[in-house]
Amino acid sequence: MRPVAVTPDRLDLEPLLRLVADGGGHGAITSFVGTVRDNNVNRRVTHLEYEAYEPLAVKALEQIVDETVAQWPGIRIAVHHRIGRLAIGEASIIIACASAHRANAFAGCRYVIERVKQIVPIWKHEFFDGGEVWIEGATANPTDEAARLEAVRRACA
Amino acid sequence: MRVTVRLFARLRDIAGAPDLAREVPSGSTAADVWRTLVAEFPEMARYDSSISTAVNADYAKMTTALSDNDEIAFLPPVSGG
């Protein structure tokens, strides 16, 4: 089990929890599961299709893990993102985060999802009743320090 | 020199293909290739200020000079998670 992955396979949180729990020094493990919602800005969503620039997406996730460890030393992170067609309710991303204490475990988990939304080259194609649209969020700039600090701020809010 | 252009999401839809082989002048930058794409697909112009780029699967700046056989990717604003 790799700590970072982009995969068309169904996501399973349990192996990630085991991976970050390795060793006994952790007093807290948090997780985040992003799921496909059945509505978006008043549209009835039928399903999503995720597309990635896979080699760069994996590198970007690895960068995020490194940033998280630099910000909260001793933290252990695993993050898997799914691509392809996803039905309503399915998990698109799972994150597990282990730390000695709960504050850093919660912060690290939140930081990872905020950074994923900022820089990882993955795109969400939304299909809804009556049409489809590519969702476009942030311009990916992995060296934008202001964006990184905003993710830290949200993580610690 | 020859480069492979990788396109994603809406950009791929506009071009009608996930990758394009293009012959560009030696010394061309990522921005030069982008401008030729916009000339070919005017609908891409609205991404002028929001595009990111990667060369050989590493993030790069639009000012990056390309080499023969490079793979250059243009990334519209991302929406993972």
Side-chain angles (χ1 to χ4, degrees):
Chain A
M1 175 65 55
R2 289 171 299 154
V4 158
V6 173
T7 173
D9 300 329
R10 192 184 174 87
L11 300 177
D12 183 8
L13 183 60
E14 196 63 35
L16 264 59
L17 295 173
R18 278 199 301 274
L19 187 70
V20 298
D22 186 44
H26 303 298
I29 299 176
T30 58
S31 60
F32 175 80
V33 179
T35 56
V36 178
R37 197 172 56 235
D38 70 358
N39 68 91
N40 192 26
V41 284
N42 296 321
R43 300 189 289 257
R44 208 175 76 81
V45 176
T46 56
H47 67 280
L48 297 180
E49 286 181 14
Y50 283 87
E51 174 179 335
Y53 184 22
E54 279 190 57
L56 185 59
V58 169
K59 287 180 194 172
L61 290 174
E62 287 169 346
Q63 173 182 328
I64 292 170
V65 169
D66 290 346
E67 287 175 0
T68 311
V69 173
Q71 188 75 34
W72 295 281
I75 212 165
R76 285 171 58 85
I77 304 280
V79 49
H80 288 193
H81 201 301
R82 189 169 167 192
I83 52 173
R85 180 178 173 134
L86 275 71
I88 302 300
E90 286 193 295
S92 54
I93 185 168
I94 55 175
I95 302 167
C97 181
S99 187
H101 302 286
R102 65 185 180 282
N104 285 3
F106 277 118
C109 208
R110 177 75 190 266
Y111 179 80
V112 171
I113 185 65
E114 296 296 333
R115 287 297 273 162
V116 165
K117 288 176 176 289
Q118 287 178 346
I119 68 167
V120 178
I122 295 180
W123 297 271
K124 191 181 298 185
H125 197 179
E126 180 187 296
F127 292 81
F128 57 90
D129 278 355
E132 46 82 25
V133 64
W134 283 101
I135 306 298
E136 295 177 345
T139 294
N141 179 356
T143 59
D144 180 348
E145 186 63 4
R148 194 190 71 78
L149 290 174
E150 173 60 16
V152 172
R153 192 193 64 75
R154 290 186 184 197
C156 297
Chain B
M1 63 185 183
R2 197 173 180 79
V3 297
T4 301
V5 179
R6 298 283 311 267
L7 298 170
F8 298 91
R10 181 78 189 117
L11 294 180
R12 179 170 49 75
D13 285 354
I14 292 171
D19 41 57
L20 307 167
R22 287 291 179 271
E23 203 64 44
V24 299
S26 183
S28 291
T29 64
D32 293 332
V33 176
W34 174 250
R35 277 191 287 272
T36 65
L37 272 185
V38 170
E40 193 175 347
F41 306 104
E43 218 186 321
M44 291 186 185
R46 73 179 178 90
Y47 290 93
D48 272 344
S49 59
S50 62
I51 200 78
S52 298
T53 189
V55 176
N56 300 327
D58 276 315
Y59 288 111
K61 296 196 183 309
M62 291 298 272
T63 51
T64 303
L66 302 176
S67 302
D68 195 26
N69 293 318
D70 273 353
E71 174 179 290
I72 175 157
F74 290 108
L75 317 173
V78 299
S79 55

